[in-house]
Amino acid sequence: MDARSRLRGWLVSPASFVALCICVALATVFQFSLRAYVPGSMDVGGLTLANFTGLDKPIYLEAFANTLLLSVETTLCSLLVAYPLAYALVRVRNRFLKSFILIVSITPLFLGEIVRTYSWIIVLGSNGFLNTMLRKMGLIGQPLNLMFSHAGVLVALVHVTIPVVVLMLATAISHIDRDYEKAAQSLGAGPVLTFVTVTLPLSMPGILASVTTSFAWTFSAFATPQMIGGGKVPTVSTLVYQLGFSSMNFPLAASLSVAGLALTVVSLLALGRMTRRLKAIGGH
């Protein structure tokens, strides 16, 4: 065996081990989802499909709907906010301004998700920064109900997602050959038309990668919906936590996890199918 083969083996072995551990964990969760719940006991019963047949209750359907809606909204809002930042990060020539944009964009990555979520609790609370400023400006008389609301969870999730989306988009935009834009301008296209017909399609691979990552990341988010939503914005992850650690109904929690994972895979496949033509356009 030559040195290159040994190096490849050393690199592949850890990844294979991690993949095996993940598969074992998923198999364990799937096994739990097919077991009967024994009230008042940590043990589980025999095989059953009752855990899956019971997922059509309104509380679970609402959690699935909320999770999908939050994932789509977070993805779209993150893309709308992050694209101008990524474009400016790549195209701005002033080094100070470029550094400022980079620091503002990626600083949230240096803070844990819990810390970021607590900061939004301070901002969105009834006596928080936002409501205090709005009252002092005379724009509102009573505090806005931003905490424990769908809008509050959405804002916090967008803040969590933006740094990764900015980095992905900046990478895609930096690989665009400026000669294509110059060619469009030489043919009479203005800045807006050049962006719409050249820059945006050529950055499509980065857009698709960031959309997929943002959607999957938001779908599995737990800390932010739990802390900002306060139980009033049910999602799949928060329900799994409540069922597993509050009710100790681990089989039902496992079945909800499996259903959520299946819904994530189906959603990502549908998203990939819908955007395949756009990806082909961006590849030219």
Side-chain angles (χ1 to χ4, degrees), residues 35-41 43-46 48 51 247-252:
R35 305 298 291 273
Y37 170 55
V38 180
S41 175
D43 297 328
V44 294
T48 180
N51 297 319
S247 304
M248 295 298 174
N249 191 343
F250 291 108
L252 184 56

Side-chain angles (χ1 to χ4, degrees), residues 112-134:
E113 185 176 358
I114 302 297
V115 177
R116 282 179 282 179
T117 303
Y118 267 118
S119 67
W120 278 109
I121 292 176
I122 297 173
V123 172
L124 300 175
S126 297
N127 296 315
F129 174 79
L130 186 58
N131 275 311
T132 300
M133 292 299 296
L134 291 176

Side-chain angles (χ1 to χ4, degrees), residues 4-207:
R4 182 176 299 179
S5 298
R6 288 196 298 269
L7 177 61
R8 187 181 298 111
W10 279 107
L11 293 175
V12 172
S13 297
S16 300
F17 178 74
V18 172
L20 178 61
C21 291
I22 293 175
C23 290
V24 171
L26 290 175
T28 303
V29 172
F30 183 72
Q31 183 267 144
F32 258 92
S33 69
L34 297 174
R35 305 298 291 273
Y37 170 55
V38 180
S41 175
M42 295 290 290
D43 297 328
V44 294
L47 296 176
T48 180
L49 293 176
N51 297 319
F52 289 99
T53 57
L55 293 180
D56 59 347
K57 295 181 179 179
I59 185 174
Y60 304 130
L61 296 179
E62 182 183 4
F64 284 121
N66 272 337
T67 304
L68 278 174
L69 181 60
L70 280 171
S71 299
V72 173
E73 290 175 337
T74 302
T75 299
L76 293 178
C77 291
S78 298
L79 188 61
L80 291 176
V81 175
Y83 197 99
L85 288 173
Y87 187 87
L89 180 62
V90 174
R91 297 297 175 84
V92 165
R93 296 182 179 180
N94 186 287
R95 291 187 177 181
F96 175 80
L97 184 56
K98 185 186 290 286
S99 300
F100 176 77
I101 296 173
L102 179 62
I103 292 173
V104 170
S105 300
I106 70 171
T107 295
L109 289 177
F110 297 99
L111 300 174
E113 185 176 358
I114 302 297
V115 177
R116 282 179 282 179
T117 303
Y118 267 118
S119 67
W120 278 109
I121 292 176
I122 297 173
V123 172
L124 300 175
S126 297
N127 296 315
F129 174 79
L130 186 58
N131 275 311
T132 300
M133 292 299 296
L134 291 176
R135 285 202 302 269
K136 288 184 177 180
M137 295 170 62
L139 297 177
I140 60 173
Q142 297 295 328
L144 299 176
N145 295 321
L146 300 175
M147 282 292 297
F148 312 132
S149 66
H150 185 94
V153 174
L154 175 61
V155 170
L157 285 174
V158 170
H159 180 239
V160 171
T161 310
I162 279 179
V164 176
V165 178
V166 168
L167 293 178
M168 288 186 172
L169 292 175
T171 302
I173 295 173
S174 64
H175 284 84
I176 296 177
D177 192 341
R178 300 292 297 273
D179 289 339
Y180 292 120
E181 297 174 343
K182 294 177 181 178
Q185 293 172 359
S186 66
L187 293 174
V192 176
L193 186 59
T194 299
F195 174 80
V196 173
T197 59
V198 179
T199 308
L200 188 62
L202 291 178
S203 62
M204 195 59 64
I207 293 176

Side-chain angles (χ1 to χ4, degrees), residues 221-272:
F222 166 71
T224 300
Q226 177 70 14
M227 297 170 66
I228 302 295
K232 296 184 179 181
V233 185
T235 62
V236 174
S237 58
T238 57
L239 269 187
V240 169
Y241 172 80
Q242 294 170 8
L243 289 171
F245 294 95
S246 297
S247 304
M248 295 298 174
N249 191 343
F250 291 108
L252 184 56
S255 65
L256 191 61
S257 300
V258 172
L261 179 61
L263 183 59
T264 304
V265 173
V266 171
S267 301
L268 291 176
L269 289 176
L271 181 63

